[in-house]
Amino acid sequence: MEPARESIVRHFELHLERLKGILGLATEEDETSRPLAEIERDLSRLEAECSSNGTLLPLIAMAKRFGLTEPECDVLVLATAPGLNPRWRGYAEQATRYGKLDVAFAVEALEKQGVGLYDALALFEQNASLRLHRLIQVFTLGRAEESQLLSHRLQTPMRVAHALVGREVLDENISDFTKLQHPTGSVDSIVLIKGQGEAVLKQVRQWCMEHDFPAGAGRGRALMVHLRGGPGVGKTSLARAIASELGLPLLEVDSALLQSLPQHLAASSVEELFSSASFLGALLCFESVDLLASGGAAQSRLRRASEEFSIPVILIGEAELAESSGLVWRSQIEARLAAPEVDEREAIWKRVLEHRKVTSDVEPGLLANQFSLTGAQIVNATEDAHLRSAAPLTQDLLTESSSYQLRADLSQFAKPRSTKLTLDDLVLPPSEKDSIKEIVAACGQRAKVLHHLGFRKRLDYGTGIVSLFSGDPGTGKTLAARIIAEAVNMSLYQIAIPSIVSKWIGETERNISQIFQRARASQAILLFDEADSLLATRTEVKDATDRYANMSTNQLLQEIEAYEGIIILTTNFEQNLDSAAERRILFRVHFPYPGVEERAELWSRLLPEEARPKDSPIDFESLAEYYELSGGHIKNAILRAAYSAMDQGSAIDTDMLAAAAEKECRAIGKLVRRGW
C-alpha cells in the first residue's frame, strides 16, 4: 500500500477506535482499549503530518467541502463502519434491535460526547447536510416498529464509504453503464473549427470559478453544455479534454444502456449519477443524449436533477434537442461540431502520423483532399493500416485503409451498381470513348489537382466532378458510369428517382439533402438516371405546385454544386435540363445511336464464345446492317435467342438471332429492313 493510502486508512481506523472507546464497545476478540486521550493525540499527529506532506485526508476534505461539523463527521464514520469493518458489523449486531446499524446507535455516540438528543436527531433530517448531499442513507424496511426516526436504518453509499479509505468506486446501480475516468490531453490537441473548443472550455471554466466547483458543494442549477454533431467529429474528445484542462474526473454515461433500464430504475439512476458527480467533483457527461431526450422517466428526472445539483453537465448528441424534452432552455451552452474541412483533416492526419513510421511518399494533404473523414475515422484508418503491415506505412496502404472507413447507408434511395467490364468493353466512337477516358483520368487525379496545384485554396465550391451523359435509351450511358466507377475503384450508387420524389411538401428536398449527406460519408459516385425528371427547366410560378417543383430543382442544384465527389447525370432529353445546371457540368458526352460497325462489334462482344455454334460462324455484320438496335436492345435479342435455343435443344445460329432481333425491333416500334 502506498504511504498516502496508508495514512488515509490509518486516519479512518483511528476515528473508529475513538468512537469504539466512546461507546464502550468490545467483543471477546478485542484487544484492550487505549485511552481516548492517546487516540486523539495520534489523530492530531497524523493530521499534522499529512498536512505538511500534502496528503489529502478524505474525511477532512469532506468536512470542509460539505461544511460538516465534528458530530456529523462522527455520524459519517459510524454509518460507514459496518460496511468496511467486519468487527463493527458485530458491534452493530450486538447493540441494535435488528442487528443493523440504526439512528439510535449513532445518537447514543453523540450523546456520550455531550450533544443533546434533539440536536443529534436534527442531523438526520431530510434537509440536514449529511442527507442533503447524499453522504448517508436513512431508510426503513417498512416494519411498524421502525416508524420512528430512531429505529431507521443507517448506512453510506458505496462511493462515500470507499472514498473515506482512499478509493474511487461507483455505486453498483450505475457502474454497468458509467465509466469514471481521469482524462489527459488538452483542447488544443483536438482539431476543431478554429476557437470552438477553446470557447466552450472558457465558458465552463468561468462557471466553475463562479460556483466554486468542485471545492464547494452548492445546490442549485447545473451548467448544461450541449455538444452536437455527426459521429466522429470530436464531441467526446472535447468533453474529455475539458475535464482534463479543468483537472476534473469525468463520469461518462452510456445513455443507450441507461434508457434500456425499467423506467423507475432509469429515473433513480439519473439522480444517482448527479449525486455521484457532485460528490466526486466530476464533470458529468451523457453520451447519445438524443435517446434520453426522446421522453420517459429518465428524461423527466434529468430535468429535475439539473435544477437541484450545481455541477457541470455535458450532453452529447447528433441532433438538436427537441423543444418537448424540456432540455433546450436548460442548456446554457451549445456547440455544433461539424465534420473537419480539408485543412483540418490535414492537421489531424499530421498529428496522428506524427509518431508512426511512414515512408517518404506519404502525403497527409493528399489524403485529406481525397477522403472526407472525421477525426475518429482518420485514427481508425491509421490503426487499420498499422495492423495490416508491420513495415512503415505507405501512401497506398493509408489510401486503402481510408477507403475502408467510408460507410454510409444509401439503400433507402439508391442501389449499388458494379461491373467487371473495363473501358475496352465499351463500344463507342473514338471521340466519345476518349471523353470517357478523360473523365476517368479526372476522377483519378482530382485529389492531386486540388492539393498539389493549389486549386483547393482558390475554389471555395464546385470542386466536384459532374458529368452529363445524353443519348437514346440503350446506348450505354449507365454502363459507362459503372465502368468509370470500376476504373477508379469507387462505389457507384444509382439513385432511384421515385424514392426521392414525394407528394408531401418539403419531403423531396429533405430526401435530396439526405442523399448527399450520406454520400459525403461514403465518397461514392452518384448516378442520377433520367436526371431531367428532377432537373427540368424551372417554370414560371403560377401556383403552389410550380413553386414546390422549383424548390426541389433548386435544392438539387445547390447540393450538386456543394458536393466534392463525383456525380454522373444521364438523360434522354438534354434539351429539357434547366439552364442553371449547364455551368455545373464539367464533362458532356453524347452517346450516339450505334452505327453498323458499332452494332456488329456489340453483337460480337455480347454473345459469349460458349454460346456460339462450332460448325458455322455467326454473321454479325448482316445482323448489324439489317437491324438498327442499340446495345441494350441487342442484349435483349441475344437473350431471347438463347432462351429459345435452350428450349429447342439447338445451338444459337444467325437465323435464330435474326428472328429474335426482328421481334425486338417490332417491340420497340423499329422498322425492319426486308431482304434477310
Side-chain angles (χ1 to χ4, degrees):
M1 190 182 296
E2 297 178 358
R5 177 82 193 289
E6 287 182 1
S7 297
I8 290 170
V9 173
R10 177 61 178 156
H11 186 251
F12 180 72
E13 289 177 342
L14 283 171
H15 272 282
L16 288 181
E17 187 179 2
R18 172 178 159 273
L19 288 168
K20 173 190 162 190
I22 290 171
L23 288 164
L25 300 173
T27 62
E28 293 180 0
E29 295 81 11
D30 282 347
E31 301 172 357
T32 304
S33 298
R34 294 194 298 157
L36 280 175
E38 182 181 336
I39 299 171
E40 289 173 347
R41 279 197 303 271
D42 286 351
L43 268 171
S44 298
R45 189 182 304 113
L46 178 60
E47 289 172 359
E49 288 176 2
C50 290
S51 178
S52 63
N53 64 27
T55 299
L56 188 65
L57 295 171
L59 183 58
I60 293 177
M62 286 185 205
K64 182 180 179 181
R65 183 170 177 223
F66 298 105
L68 303 181
T69 62
E70 186 173 332
E72 286 174 320
C73 289
D74 286 345
V75 171
L76 186 59
V77 173
L78 276 173
T80 303
L84 295 180
N85 190 307
R87 186 167 294 177
W88 271 83
R89 191 178 302 118
Y91 296 153
E93 289 172 356
Q94 289 181 1
T96 60
R97 182 175 180 183
Y98 293 107
K100 299 292 183 182
L101 189 70
D102 56 21
V103 172
F105 187 75
V107 167
E108 181 184 352
L110 298 178
E111 285 186 303
K112 288 186 176 182
Q113 298 179 74
V115 179
L117 171 63
Y118 298 110
D119 289 336
L121 286 173
L123 302 181
F124 301 93
E125 292 177 353
Q126 187 71 41
N127 292 324
S129 291
L130 288 170
R131 294 186 68 180
L132 187 67
H133 298 296
R134 272 78 166 178
L135 299 178
I136 63 170
Q137 295 168 332
V138 179
F139 61 97
T140 174
L141 297 182
R143 291 189 178 97
E145 298 88 345
E146 296 177 339
S147 60
Q148 301 301 315
L149 178 60
L150 284 170
S151 59
H152 285 189
R153 307 294 177 87
L154 184 63
Q155 68 180 31
T156 55
M158 185 184 295
R159 64 173 184 277
V160 178
H162 285 273
L164 285 171
V165 291
R167 297 182 63 222
E168 279 188 339
V169 175
L170 293 177
D171 291 328
E172 288 183 349
N173 57 333
I174 64 171
S175 59
D176 287 343
F177 52 84
T178 309
K179 291 187 293 185
L180 175 60
Q181 303 186 67
H182 293 271
T184 58
S186 65
V187 170
D188 289 341
S189 66
I190 307 170
V191 182
L192 299 169
I193 295 173
K194 188 175 181 181
Q196 196 171 31
E198 289 81 358
V200 176
L201 171 62
K202 181 180 178 181
Q203 291 172 288
V204 178
R205 191 193 300 277
Q206 181 66 28
W207 183 91
C208 290
M209 291 173 59
E210 291 176 356
H211 292 75
D212 194 26
F213 185 86
R219 304 281 293 176
R221 190 178 181 188
L223 171 70
M224 303 285 274
V225 181
H226 184 210
L227 302 180
R228 68 182 181 93
V233 297
K235 304 184 295 295
T236 302
S237 296
L238 178 56
R240 291 171 180 170
I242 289 172
S244 173
E245 294 259 17
L246 298 178
L248 301 176
L250 181 68
L251 272 184
E252 205 167 290
V253 182
D254 186 333
S255 298
L257 291 177
L258 172 59
Q259 186 73 346
S260 68
L261 296 175
Q263 291 282 315
H264 69 286
L265 290 180
S268 61
S269 296
V270 169
E271 184 121 1
E272 185 62 41
L273 286 165
F274 274 82
S275 179
S276 296
S278 178
F279 174 76
L280 296 167
L283 181 65
L284 180 58
C285 176
F286 287 91
E287 291 271 9
S288 305
V289 75
D290 306 326
L291 299 174
L292 291 183
S294 61
Q299 179 202 97
S300 177
R301 192 62 64 92
L302 177 58
R303 291 198 304 266
R304 193 177 81 181
S306 70
E307 297 295 324
E308 296 177 358
F309 292 87
S310 186
I311 62 171
V313 181
I314 293 183
L315 309 175
I316 291 179
E318 295 189 18
E320 293 184 18
L321 293 172
E323 290 284 347
S324 59
S325 70
L327 299 175
V328 177
W329 66 269
R330 287 175 170 84
S331 300
Q332 299 96 313
I333 302 172
E334 181 176 35
R336 183 180 182 277
L337 307 187
E341 298 294 335
V342 175
D343 291 344
E344 293 153 353
R345 293 198 295 269
E346 183 174 358
I348 296 172
W349 273 113
K350 287 179 179 178
R351 187 162 292 165
V352 171
L353 294 174
E354 188 176 5
H355 303 295
R356 300 278 190 176
K357 291 183 179 180
V358 299
T359 56
S360 58
D361 69 328
V362 171
E363 296 185 67
L366 186 57
L367 291 167
N369 274 278
Q370 192 170 358
F371 299 101
S372 298
L373 301 181
T374 64
Q377 287 175 317
I378 290 173
V379 171
N380 292 341
T382 305
E383 185 64 22
D384 175 73
H386 170 69
L387 293 174
R388 289 194 291 119
S389 174
L393 305 181
T394 66
Q395 181 76 10
D396 288 343
L397 187 58
L398 288 169
T399 298
E400 186 178 355
S401 293
S402 295
S403 67
Y404 294 154
Q405 300 301 314
L406 300 173
R407 298 181 293 271
D409 182 14
L410 284 162
S411 59
Q412 181 182 351
F413 306 106
K415 296 179 180 179
R417 300 299 187 193
S418 61
T419 183
K420 295 181 180 180
L421 301 179
T422 67
L423 284 170
D424 292 336
D425 297 305
L426 198 59
V427 179
L428 282 174
S431 61
E432 283 74 14
K433 196 163 188 176
D434 288 343
S435 295
I436 298 298
K437 290 178 180 178
E438 186 182 3
I439 294 172
V440 171
C443 295
Q445 301 301 322
R446 173 182 165 277
K448 292 181 180 179
V449 167
L450 294 175
H451 178 61
H452 290 306
L453 302 185
F455 280 94
R456 173 70 68 182
K457 298 176 183 177
R458 291 284 185 181
L459 303 177
D460 291 334
Y461 61 91
T463 57
I465 295 175
V466 182
S467 302
L468 174 66
F469 293 172
S470 62
D472 291 333
T475 51
K477 301 184 294 296
T478 303
L479 176 62
R482 295 185 183 186
I483 288 174
I484 290 171
E486 181 67 21
V488 296
N489 194 29
M490 294 179 69
S491 300
L492 175 74
Y493 283 91
Q494 184 174 350
I495 307 300
I497 301 298
S499 68
I500 301 176
V501 179
S502 172
K503 64 180 179 180
W504 303 111
I505 295 173
E507 191 67 24
T508 300
E509 292 78 47
R510 278 192 289 271
N511 291 341
I512 291 171
S513 179
Q514 283 191 44
I515 287 170
F516 281 90
Q517 184 179 349
R518 296 179 188 183
R520 287 185 188 96
S522 66
Q523 291 288 102
I525 297 177
L526 295 181
L527 170 63
F528 287 87
D529 256 340
E530 301 179 15
D532 49 277
S533 60
L534 276 177
L535 287 173
T537 301
R538 283 167 288 185
T539 60
E540 180 184 350
V541 177
K542 296 180 180 179
D543 53 31
T545 302
D546 295 335
R547 181 167 63 254
Y548 291 118
N550 289 347
M551 286 172 59
S552 300
T553 301
N554 291 338
Q555 176 75 20
L556 182 56
L557 288 171
Q558 291 170 16
E559 293 287 0
I560 288 174
E561 189 161 38
Y563 189 59
E564 294 188 348
I566 300 163
I567 296 173
I568 298 175
L569 311 173
T570 73
T571 179
N572 302 330
F573 306 100
E574 184 176 358
Q575 68 277 10
N576 291 348
L577 287 178
D578 190 277
S579 58
E582 295 295 316
R583 66 178 178 83
R584 293 170 169 84
I585 296 170
L586 183 61
F587 295 102
R588 289 178 176 79
V589 183
H590 178 70
F591 286 68
Y593 211 85
V596 174
E597 290 185 10
E598 287 82 15
R599 292 201 294 272
E601 187 175 354
L602 286 167
W603 280 104
S604 177
R605 285 182 178 275
L606 292 173
L607 185 65
E609 289 291 337
E610 298 86 342
R612 300 182 185 187
K614 295 180 173 53
D615 52 353
S616 59
I618 301 291
D619 188 356
F620 294 119
E621 288 73 17
S622 295
L623 290 169
E625 183 177 352
Y626 279 89
Y627 303 105
E628 295 182 9
L629 295 172
S630 66
H633 294 300
I634 290 173
K635 178 199 73 174
N636 291 344
I638 290 174
L639 286 174
R640 291 179 78 155
Y643 294 139
S644 179
M646 185 61 68
D647 184 57
Q648 296 173 19
S650 61
I652 299 175
D653 56 21
T654 303
D655 289 339
M656 193 170 288
L657 290 170
E662 185 169 339
K663 291 176 183 176
E664 186 70 16
C665 284
R666 288 175 178 169
I668 61 175
K670 281 275 186 179
L671 294 176
V672 180
R673 293 177 57 187
R674 296 194 175 274
W676 177 265

